[in-house]
Amino acid sequence: MLLQFNFMETTTTLNSSLKNQITTTIVWARYAAIISLVNLGLSLLQLIVGFIKGNPFILVTVLFFIISTSIGLVLSINLLRYSSFAKAGIQSENSTAFYQSLYHLKIYFLVMGVLFLIAISLLILIFIFWIISIIITAAN
Amino acid sequence: MIDSNESILQLVNIDSSGRNLLESSGKWAKFIGITYLTMAGLLLVITVLLFANLDLIANAFMNVNGMSQASLDFMMGAGKWLFVLVTLLSFCVMFLNGYFLVKFGISSKNYSHTYNESALSNSFIFLSRYLILTTVLSVVSTVSSVLAFLYFI
């Protein structure tokens, strides 16, 4: 039964038009990832300059830098891996490499989605606390 | 459809595992896209409300913070239009980001359910548009970071 299912499975072969469209995503994913990494480097430079100049909020700045850099690095690396695996898959006609690229694309969107969920939850919490504070103030 | 110049032995195929990966990416992209579209809508509503009550807000600020007449004139004149321009730009960026992501999500889901080649093609077209927009925004962010850095150093 399983053997029959696998045999009957529908597959899509990438033709040259599809490959061209995927190549466009490969190129732009690489650009986006590299520019994000440059941005992270600039943030590090700003942190160092702030440290030298004696920024009074250095601890908060370092904490913010660590969080934003970790997120930025995960996103950029996954985008870069999508780009390189997809390129390898298309150039060497290797389906496994192409699936690896799709896996990294999935991780990229998953990380972004989870971050959005956290941000939405925080916003809802802030809104609830704001409503509670209004009710308490009105009651007093 | 196989091109005549492609080797029959070495071809990239997308089977169920590839479709699942693409559909999963599409689901998250659609969620992010819907969030962007909601944010864009909220931004538009808040801007319209602020714009409609600008006189009231400016007077309230004047009473609370002692805003000068020059600041008030700027706020009611060029500042108002600058605010509209910035808000419109933000709205466009959020809307386009959301639109491309939602379309990518819909196309990838469509492909994994119908195995339609044009749906797969559309999903990569919208993904590339989203990536182009992301790159442009990253460039703008980098340039403004460099300018701010040079200004403060």
Side-chain angles (χ1 to χ4, degrees), chain B residues 109-124:
Chain B
K109 188 183 174 184
N110 193 8
Y111 165 67
S112 54
H113 287 221
T114 61
Y115 315 127
N116 186 350
E117 214 171 83
S118 68
L120 180 65
S121 168
N122 277 338
S123 74
F124 281 110

Side-chain angles (χ1 to χ4, degrees), chain A residues 35-77:
Chain A
I35 293 165
S36 295
L37 290 172
V38 169
N39 243 333
L40 292 178
L42 271 172
S43 304
L44 179 69
L45 202 66
Q46 283 171 343
L47 183 79
I48 292 167
V49 170
F51 187 72
I52 292 167
K53 283 196 165 186
N55 181 356
F57 307 107
I58 196 74
L59 276 176
V60 179
T61 315
V62 167
L63 190 72
F64 183 74
F65 172 78
I66 290 169
I67 294 169
S68 61
T69 305
S70 314
I71 295 165
L73 265 178
V74 170
L75 291 176
S76 304
I77 286 169

Side-chain angles (χ1 to χ4, degrees), chain A residues 9-16 18-19 21-22 24-25 28-29 31-32 35-36 38-39 42 45-46 49 53 79 82 89-90 92-95 98-99 102-103 105-106 108-110 112-114 116-117 120, chain B residues 1-3 6 10-19 21-22 24-25 28-29 31-32 35-36 39 101 104 111 115 117 120-121 124-125 127-128 130-132 134-135 138-139 141-142 145-146 149 152-153:
Chain A
E9 192 180 42
T10 313
T11 59
T12 308
T13 306
L14 298 184
N15 58 26
S16 57
L18 274 170
K19 279 181 189 169
Q21 274 141 20
I22 296 168
T24 313
T25 67
W28 286 102
Y31 286 156
I35 293 165
S36 295
V38 169
N39 243 333
L42 271 172
L45 202 66
Q46 283 171 343
V49 170
K53 283 196 165 186
L79 214 50
Y82 161 73
I90 296 286
S92 61
E93 304 281 2
N94 182 353
S95 294
F98 188 67
Y99 289 171
L102 290 179
Y103 171 75
L105 187 69
K106 179 191 144 183
Y108 170 79
F109 282 120
L110 189 132
M112 266 181 78
V114 169
F116 268 66
L117 271 177
I120 291 168
Chain B
M1 188 73 72
I2 301 168
D3 285 358
E6 286 173 334
Q10 284 188 315
L11 289 170
V12 182
N13 292 307
I14 301 182
D15 62 11
S16 61
S17 56
R19 278 196 294 273
L21 284 168
L22 198 64
S24 186
S25 306
W28 282 105
F31 164 69
I32 299 162
T35 313
Y36 269 129
M39 275 158 57
L101 286 173
F104 167 64
Y111 165 67
Y115 315 127
E117 214 171 83
L120 180 65
S121 168
F124 281 110
I125 287 171
L127 178 65
S128 63
Y130 163 74
L131 289 169
I132 291 169
T134 306
T135 309
S138 298
V139 168
S141 163
T142 308
S145 286
V146 170
F149 183 69
F152 285 110
I153 210 165

